[in-house]
């Protein structure tokens, strides 16, 4: 799996030609919102794909395996168990990188150089939810590669908001690599989350290797655009913080940073870090900021100096 993540980072930076054959048509500029553009649109998938992988059972001390209702049926997820102490906690939904429709072992300790478990939130006392998405694991539906999955993430948030140990007004969203791309699309589609944290996303999904966009007709520009965060920066609806290590997929981040005029979008190139080792220290910093984010409106902000300090540079 780690090699798959690395492949994503390298190919997006390199700006590869579409892997599904044929050049992508020239981009179109959009002025309306992503929600408006998706209204009435029916995606036509290039391929039907399902993971058909069982959902591993997590240890009881870490997560509980649950199901949440989505537009395609019940989907599996991991959720921090309820300590039943009557306290409502902030919560974060985390979308992993690579094949992000499928969930697996996110509880074993990972090295700081590549900690894709986002365990820093759980250790800080936040409720975590790892949702699988349509076509992932043994779920109903088929993988749509960044389209219908937006609806699944929002359905996961609805489930999480109903849990007794969750503060429904303090639900956040985060993701890494392909998961970061999906998190940005959700932020551009809906104001559902208090804040969104995206690590190493792609501005245009046509740069991904074929295995991550195999469902997409890459010769149809609208199919690509509706899945590409760089086209909808004007539509960001929640405070959205985008991070990437200077040694990672910075081309996509810098492209978005240079064109975004939406005050809700914030972009940070973290010096001294790469696509993977940026995760552990910056997630730890975010977790502490979430714990202090108690006013009616989100008060989270970052400085270049504190990000450098977090990664030890």
């Amino acid at each position: 799996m780690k090699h798959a993540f690395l492949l994503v980072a390298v190919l997006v930076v390199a700006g590869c030609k579409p892997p599904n054959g044929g050049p992508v048509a020239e981009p179109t500029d959009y002025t309306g919102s992503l929600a408006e553009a998706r209204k009435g649109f029916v995606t036509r998938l290039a391929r039907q794909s399902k993971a058909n992988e069982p959902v591993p059972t997590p240890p009881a001390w870490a997560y509980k395996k649950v199901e949440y209702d989505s537009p395609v049926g019940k989907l599996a997820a991991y959720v921090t168990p309820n300590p039943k102490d009557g306290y409502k906690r902030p919560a974060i939904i985390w979308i992993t990188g690579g094949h992000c429709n499928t969930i697996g072992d996110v509880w074993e300790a990972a090295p700081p150089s590549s900690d894709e478990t986002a365990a820093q939130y759980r250790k800080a006392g936040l409720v975590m939810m790892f949702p699988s998405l349509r076509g992932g694991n043994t779920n109903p539906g088929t993988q749509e590669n960044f389209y219908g999955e937006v609806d699944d993430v929002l359905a996961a948030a609805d489930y999480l908001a109903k849990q007794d140990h969750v503060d429904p007004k303090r639900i956040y969203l985060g993701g890494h690599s392909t998961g970061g791309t999906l998190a940005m699309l959700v932020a551009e589609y809906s104001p559902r989350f208090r804040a969104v944290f995206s690590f190493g996303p792609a501005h245009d999904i046509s740069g991904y290797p074929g295995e991550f966009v195999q469902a997409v007709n890459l010769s149809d520009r609208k199919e690509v655009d509706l899945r590409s965060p760089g086209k909808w920066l004007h539509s960001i609806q929640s405070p959205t913080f985008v991070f990437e290590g200077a040694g990672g997929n910075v081309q996509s981040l810098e492209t978005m940073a240079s064109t975004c005029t939406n005050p809700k979008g914030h972009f940070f190139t973290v010096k001294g870090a790469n696509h993977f080792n940026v995760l552990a220290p910056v997630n730890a910093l975010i977790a502490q900021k979430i714990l202090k984010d108690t006013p009616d409106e989100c008060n989270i902000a970052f400085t270049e100096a504190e990000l450098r300090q977090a990664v030890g540079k």
Side-chain angles (χ1 to χ4, degrees):
M1 183 68 75
K2 193 173 295 184
H3 296 300
F5 289 135
L6 183 58
L7 187 62
V8 171
V10 171
L11 290 185
V12 171
V13 170
C16 291
K17 293 181 180 179
N20 286 13
V24 173
E26 285 299 311
T28 301
D29 291 327
Y30 298 91
T31 56
S33 70
L34 178 56
E36 291 169 341
R38 283 173 50 119
K39 189 174 182 180
F41 180 81
V42 178
T43 185
R44 290 175 172 81
L45 302 180
R47 177 179 174 181
Q48 303 284 317
S49 179
K50 296 173 71 72
N52 293 317
E53 296 180 15
V55 181
T57 300
W61 58 263
Y63 299 106
K64 180 180 179 181
K65 184 164 66 174
V66 302
E67 290 184 331
Y68 68 97
D69 292 318
S70 84
V72 296
K74 291 187 178 296
L75 307 181
Y78 298 137
V79 178
T80 305
N82 185 353
K84 298 183 179 179
D85 56 7
Y87 178 62
K88 290 187 176 293
R89 295 162 169 79
I92 185 167
I93 291 175
W94 186 262
I95 311 297
T96 60
H99 296 284
C100 60
N101 292 53
T102 293
I103 55 175
D105 184 348
V106 290
W107 47 86
E108 292 293 336
S113 60
S114 184
D115 187 355
E116 298 167 55
T117 69
Q120 294 75 26
Y121 299 104
R122 173 173 55 80
K123 293 177 180 178
L126 278 72
V127 175
M128 289 197 75
M129 181 177 185
F130 291 87
S132 65
L133 309 171
R134 60 187 62 197
N137 294 106
T138 56
N139 290 337
T142 186
Q143 297 177 27
E144 297 183 12
N145 299 142
F146 309 106
Y147 192 75
E149 290 85 355
V150 169
D151 299 315
D152 297 340
V153 173
L154 293 170
D158 290 341
Y159 172 90
L160 194 56
K162 297 173 183 176
Q163 304 311 299
D164 290 340
H165 57 317
V166 170
D167 181 346
K169 296 181 179 180
R170 296 175 69 197
I171 298 178
Y172 304 81
L173 174 64
H176 174 234
S177 200
T178 53
T181 297
L182 180 55
M184 281 200 72
L185 288 166
V186 173
E188 293 166 339
Y189 180 73
S190 168
R192 180 68 179 83
F193 293 92
R194 186 171 172 97
V196 176
F197 310 99
S198 171
F199 287 83
H203 72 288
D204 188 321
I205 58 97
S206 63
Y208 276 135
E211 64 180 303
F212 299 107
V213 288
Q214 59 187 336
V216 186
N217 179 0
L218 294 174
S219 63
D220 185 324
R221 189 65 230 184
K222 189 167 186 180
E223 292 278 6
V224 174
D225 286 349
L226 290 177
R227 294 167 164 88
S228 295
K231 304 301 297 184
W232 308 99
L233 300 173
H234 62 279
S235 186
I236 294 174
Q237 299 186 54
S238 300
T240 298
F241 304 91
V242 186
F243 307 95
E244 179 61 301
N249 184 22
V250 290
Q251 185 178 21
S252 272
L253 183 143
E254 291 172 353
T255 296
M256 290 189 285
S258 66
T259 57
C260 182
T261 59
N262 188 331
K264 293 184 178 180
H266 310 272
F267 300 83
F268 299 92
T269 298
V270 184
K271 296 180 179 179
N274 59 37
H275 189 64
F276 300 98
N277 65 15
V278 69
L279 288 167
V282 176
N283 275 332
L285 176 63
I286 295 170
Q288 293 307 310
K289 288 183 177 287
I290 288 176
L291 293 175
K292 298 174 183 177
D293 181 30
T294 56
D296 290 340
E297 299 292 332
C298 178
N299 66 357
I300 293 176
F302 299 88
T303 67
E304 300 285 353
E306 64 184 348
L307 289 168
R308 287 196 301 271
Q309 182 178 11
V311 299
K313 300 295 181 180

